[in-house]
Amino acid sequence: MRSHEIDYKIIGEDIQLVEVELDPNETVIAEAGTMCYMEEGIVFETKMGDGSSADNSIIGKLFQAGSRLLTGESLFMTHFTNRGYGKRKVAFAAPHPGTIIPIDLSTLPGNTLIAQKDSFLCAALGTQISITFNQKIGAGLFGGEGFILEKLQGDGLAFVHAGGTIIEKRLNNETLRIDTGCIVAFEQTLSYDIQKAGNLKSMVFGGEGIFLATVRGTGRVWIQSMPLSKLIRTLSPYGGNANKESGSVIGGLGNIFGD
């Protein structure tokens, strides 16, 4: 299914929203609860799945919806369609302070983007949203946000949001080490793993946590300066989320046994 072609405008600086302009019968899909406002003529419907395969069986829809539960997202997605006679607008807001970026999936290798499980905001109808697992055991135990990832596939626009400022880094057969919570998304040509931050002294007293995410290869990676987990710890330094590093042994194992 070819994705719908949608127009958009990013509004705001620190707490942004994206305003999508739809032609008649065009549709945009979004995470439940992200809609900010919509003009007359826009109708919405909650569906199980992303609607990328119109002939998907009920079993396929249940499997797709069930996989979203593993990422902590809602079982359903909301489809917004312009049923009016002219152009109509609908806007979606990011759930926390930060930046919204548009990504044209048709320009990516394999038309695929790998994203953190809570970074997807909305996309043109026709975008397939599924999950992918990091196959490294280290990522599974200590990766925190990075074990279960979302895979966005299609040939249209997708919008992802990040905390704070977002930086795009282009690697050319290089290696980059990143705080486990700071990766927003990356191209599928890059490999992703969790590795030790350094020697024992650095890991214990360095303040950067015991494990770091490592991406290597050729491709682009998007990085956020203030992931939600770090923002929560900053605002509540003595709260239950005050562990120094979401990817540390304490943070990673605590998340496993706490869920």
Side-chain angles (χ1 to χ4, degrees):
M1 177 178 180
R2 181 172 176 79
S3 299
H4 288 191
E5 297 181 6
I6 58 176
D7 299 315
Y8 72 92
K9 179 172 65 174
I10 304 293
I11 301 174
E13 297 294 335
D14 298 324
I15 304 178
Q16 295 184 329
L17 58 85
V18 55
E19 185 182 74
V20 177
E21 186 178 71
L22 300 175
D23 290 329
N25 296 317
E26 281 187 340
T27 299
V28 60
I29 61 175
E31 289 289 359
T34 58
M35 191 274 292
C36 184
Y37 61 84
M38 59 183 180
E39 294 181 344
E40 184 179 6
I42 299 287
V43 299
F44 65 92
E45 184 179 3
T46 300
K47 296 184 178 182
M48 188 178 295
D50 52 42
S52 58
S53 298
D55 58 348
N56 209 3
S57 66
I58 185 64
I59 299 299
K61 291 179 180 179
L62 286 172
F63 177 79
Q64 184 186 57
S67 67
R68 284 175 52 79
L69 291 179
L70 295 177
T71 69
E73 303 291 358
S74 170
L75 185 66
F76 300 93
M77 299 192 71
T78 309
H79 295 226
F80 295 84
T81 303
N82 179 8
R83 298 302 186 193
Y85 294 102
K87 294 179 180 291
R88 295 291 186 268
K89 298 175 182 178
V90 56
F92 304 96
H96 54 83
T99 306
I100 299 174
I101 58 170
I103 298 179
D104 187 350
L105 297 177
S106 67
T107 65
L108 304 184
N111 292 359
T112 299
L113 180 73
I114 307 299
Q116 288 285 10
K117 61 184 181 180
D118 58 351
S119 63
F120 171 72
L121 183 63
C122 61
L125 179 65
T127 303
Q128 181 180 358
I129 304 168
S130 57
I131 65 171
T132 180
F133 291 93
N134 190 300
Q135 298 178 359
K136 301 285 187 175
I137 186 64
L141 290 176
F142 308 113
E145 298 92 333
F147 180 43
I148 302 176
L149 303 167
E150 281 190 321
K151 179 187 292 186
L152 310 181
Q153 295 175 292
D155 55 9
L157 284 172
F159 299 87
V160 298
H161 63 84
T165 300
I166 192 165
I167 302 168
E168 179 185 312
K169 301 282 287 185
R170 187 181 296 271
L171 305 184
N172 183 17
N173 197 26
E174 297 172 294
T175 298
L176 188 66
R177 308 182 77 187
I178 309 167
D179 179 284
T180 55
C182 288
I183 295 181
V184 178
F186 55 91
E187 294 180 344
Q188 66 171 355
T189 52
L190 294 173
S191 65
Y192 172 79
D193 193 13
I194 303 295
Q195 296 184 348
K196 293 188 299 183
N199 58 37
L200 181 60
K201 182 178 180 181
S202 298
M203 290 189 294
V204 175
F205 301 107
E208 300 302 330
I210 297 179
F211 293 88
L212 293 174
T214 301
V215 292
R216 57 169 55 89
T218 299
R220 289 179 294 173
V221 56
W222 289 266
I223 304 168
Q224 59 186 345
S225 64
M226 180 59 73
L228 180 59
S229 57
K230 186 178 292 186
L231 177 62
I232 292 174
R233 290 197 306 272
T234 301
L235 297 177
S236 305
Y238 303 106
N241 295 305
N243 53 293
K244 180 64 180 177
E245 171 59 44
S246 61
S248 68
V249 172
I250 296 176
L253 294 181
N255 291 335
I256 292 174
F257 292 115
D259 293 337

PDB file of all heavy atoms in Angstrom, residues 153-166:
ATOM      1  N   GLN A 153       8.018   1.321   8.578  1.00  0.00           N
ATOM      2  CA  GLN A 153       8.292   1.005   7.180  1.00  0.00           C
ATOM      3  C   GLN A 153       7.234   1.646   6.289  1.00  0.00           C
ATOM      4  O   GLN A 153       6.046   1.630   6.616  1.00  0.00           O
ATOM      5  CB  GLN A 153       8.281  -0.514   6.965  1.00  0.00           C
ATOM      6  CG  GLN A 153       9.386  -1.250   7.693  1.00  0.00           C
ATOM      7  CD  GLN A 153       9.266  -2.755   7.549  1.00  0.00           C
ATOM      8  OE1 GLN A 153       8.337  -3.360   8.075  1.00  0.00           O
ATOM      9  NE2 GLN A 153      10.200  -3.364   6.839  1.00  0.00           N
ATOM     10  N   GLY A 154       7.681   2.200   5.166  1.00  0.00           N
ATOM     11  CA  GLY A 154       6.755   2.806   4.228  1.00  0.00           C
ATOM     12  C   GLY A 154       7.464   3.728   3.266  1.00  0.00           C
ATOM     13  O   GLY A 154       8.701   3.774   3.203  1.00  0.00           O
ATOM     14  N   ASP A 155       6.662   4.477   2.523  1.00  0.00           N
ATOM     15  CA  ASP A 155       7.243   5.408   1.554  1.00  0.00           C
ATOM     16  C   ASP A 155       6.699   6.818   1.735  1.00  0.00           C
ATOM     17  O   ASP A 155       6.728   7.639   0.818  1.00  0.00           O
ATOM     18  CB  ASP A 155       6.989   4.929   0.120  1.00  0.00           C
ATOM     19  CG  ASP A 155       5.508   4.704  -0.169  1.00  0.00           C
ATOM     20  OD1 ASP A 155       4.669   5.078   0.675  1.00  0.00           O
ATOM     21  OD2 ASP A 155       5.194   4.162  -1.243  1.00  0.00           O
ATOM     22  N   GLY A 156       6.186   7.108   2.947  1.00  0.00           N
ATOM     23  CA  GLY A 156       5.646   8.430   3.241  1.00  0.00           C
ATOM     24  C   GLY A 156       6.317   9.066   4.438  1.00  0.00           C
ATOM     25  O   GLY A 156       7.382   8.635   4.889  1.00  0.00           O
ATOM     26  N   LEU A 157       5.670  10.090   4.968  1.00  0.00           N
ATOM     27  CA  LEU A 157       6.212  10.827   6.100  1.00  0.00           C
ATOM     28  C   LEU A 157       5.829  10.175   7.426  1.00  0.00           C
ATOM     29  O   LEU A 157       4.687   9.744   7.612  1.00  0.00           O
ATOM     30  CB  LEU A 157       5.701  12.269   6.097  1.00  0.00           C
ATOM     31  CG  LEU A 157       6.333  13.225   5.075  1.00  0.00           C
ATOM     32  CD1 LEU A 157       5.570  14.547   5.065  1.00  0.00           C
ATOM     33  CD2 LEU A 157       7.804  13.475   5.405  1.00  0.00           C
ATOM     34  N   ALA A 158       6.778  10.126   8.339  1.00  0.00           N
ATOM     35  CA  ALA A 158       6.544   9.709   9.718  1.00  0.00           C
ATOM     36  C   ALA A 158       7.129  10.780  10.629  1.00  0.00           C
ATOM     37  O   ALA A 158       8.136  11.414  10.292  1.00  0.00           O
ATOM     38  CB  ALA A 158       7.181   8.353  10.002  1.00  0.00           C
ATOM     39  N   PHE A 159       6.502  10.981  11.761  1.00  0.00           N
ATOM     40  CA  PHE A 159       6.949  12.007  12.701  1.00  0.00           C
ATOM     41  C   PHE A 159       7.318  11.341  14.026  1.00  0.00           C
ATOM     42  O   PHE A 159       6.532  10.570  14.583  1.00  0.00           O
ATOM     43  CB  PHE A 159       5.852  13.046  12.918  1.00  0.00           C
ATOM     44  CG  PHE A 159       5.461  13.786  11.668  1.00  0.00           C
ATOM     45  CD1 PHE A 159       4.485  13.274  10.821  1.00  0.00           C
ATOM     46  CD2 PHE A 159       6.072  14.981  11.330  1.00  0.00           C
ATOM     47  CE1 PHE A 159       4.122  13.935   9.665  1.00  0.00           C
ATOM     48  CE2 PHE A 159       5.718  15.660  10.170  1.00  0.00           C
ATOM     49  CZ  PHE A 159       4.745  15.134   9.329  1.00  0.00           C
ATOM     50  N   VAL A 160       8.502  11.655  14.512  1.00  0.00           N
ATOM     51  CA  VAL A 160       8.952  11.148  15.803  1.00  0.00           C
ATOM     52  C   VAL A 160       9.284  12.333  16.694  1.00  0.00           C
ATOM     53  O   VAL A 160       9.627  13.424  16.211  1.00  0.00           O
ATOM     54  CB  VAL A 160      10.184  10.214  15.666  1.00  0.00           C
ATOM     55  CG1 VAL A 160       9.855   8.999  14.833  1.00  0.00           C
ATOM     56  CG2 VAL A 160      11.370  10.962  15.056  1.00  0.00           C
ATOM     57  N   HIS A 161       9.168  12.145  17.993  1.00  0.00           N
ATOM     58  CA  HIS A 161       9.461  13.219  18.927  1.00  0.00           C
ATOM     59  C   HIS A 161      10.594  12.802  19.853  1.00  0.00           C
ATOM     60  O   HIS A 161      10.796  11.611  20.125  1.00  0.00           O
ATOM     61  CB  HIS A 161       8.227  13.629  19.730  1.00  0.00           C
ATOM     62  CG  HIS A 161       7.686  12.546  20.609  1.00  0.00           C
ATOM     63  ND1 HIS A 161       8.162  12.285  21.871  1.00  0.00           N
ATOM     64  CD2 HIS A 161       6.699  11.641  20.407  1.00  0.00           C
ATOM     65  CE1 HIS A 161       7.503  11.288  22.406  1.00  0.00           C
ATOM     66  NE2 HIS A 161       6.601  10.866  21.533  1.00  0.00           N
ATOM     67  N   ALA A 162      11.322  13.789  20.330  1.00  0.00           N
ATOM     68  CA  ALA A 162      12.484  13.554  21.190  1.00  0.00           C
ATOM     69  C   ALA A 162      12.506  14.588  22.299  1.00  0.00           C
ATOM     70  O   ALA A 162      11.937  15.674  22.165  1.00  0.00           O
ATOM     71  CB  ALA A 162      13.772  13.629  20.381  1.00  0.00           C
ATOM     72  N   GLY A 163      13.148  14.252  23.412  1.00  0.00           N
ATOM     73  CA  GLY A 163      13.247  15.171  24.531  1.00  0.00           C
ATOM     74  C   GLY A 163      14.406  16.142  24.351  1.00  0.00           C
ATOM     75  O   GLY A 163      15.514  15.757  23.983  1.00  0.00           O
ATOM     76  N   GLY A 164      14.140  17.422  24.600  1.00  0.00           N
ATOM     77  CA  GLY A 164      15.202  18.422  24.467  1.00  0.00           C
ATOM     78  C   GLY A 164      15.518  18.699  23.007  1.00  0.00           C
ATOM     79  O   GLY A 164      14.652  18.755  22.146  1.00  0.00           O
ATOM     80  N   THR A 165      16.805  18.839  22.728  1.00  0.00           N
ATOM     81  CA  THR A 165      17.289  19.096  21.370  1.00  0.00           C
ATOM     82  C   THR A 165      17.614  17.772  20.683  1.00  0.00           C
ATOM     83  O   THR A 165      18.085  16.832  21.321  1.00  0.00           O
ATOM     84  CB  THR A 165      18.555  19.971  21.404  1.00  0.00           C
ATOM     85  OG1 THR A 165      18.241  21.213  22.041  1.00  0.00           O
ATOM     86  CG2 THR A 165      19.081  20.240  20.002  1.00  0.00           C
ATOM     87  N   ILE A 166      17.367  17.695  19.377  1.00  0.00           N
ATOM     88  CA  ILE A 166      17.685  16.486  18.634  1.00  0.00           C
ATOM     89  C   ILE A 166      18.850  16.754  17.676  1.00  0.00           C
ATOM     90  O   ILE A 166      18.939  17.828  17.069  1.00  0.00           O
ATOM     91  CB  ILE A 166      16.452  15.963  17.867  1.00  0.00           C
ATOM     92  CG1 ILE A 166      16.718  14.560  17.341  1.00  0.00           C
ATOM     93  CG2 ILE A 166      16.055  16.909  16.747  1.00  0.00           C
ATOM     94  CD1 ILE A 166      15.482  13.824  16.884  1.00  0.00           C
TER      95      ILE A 166
END
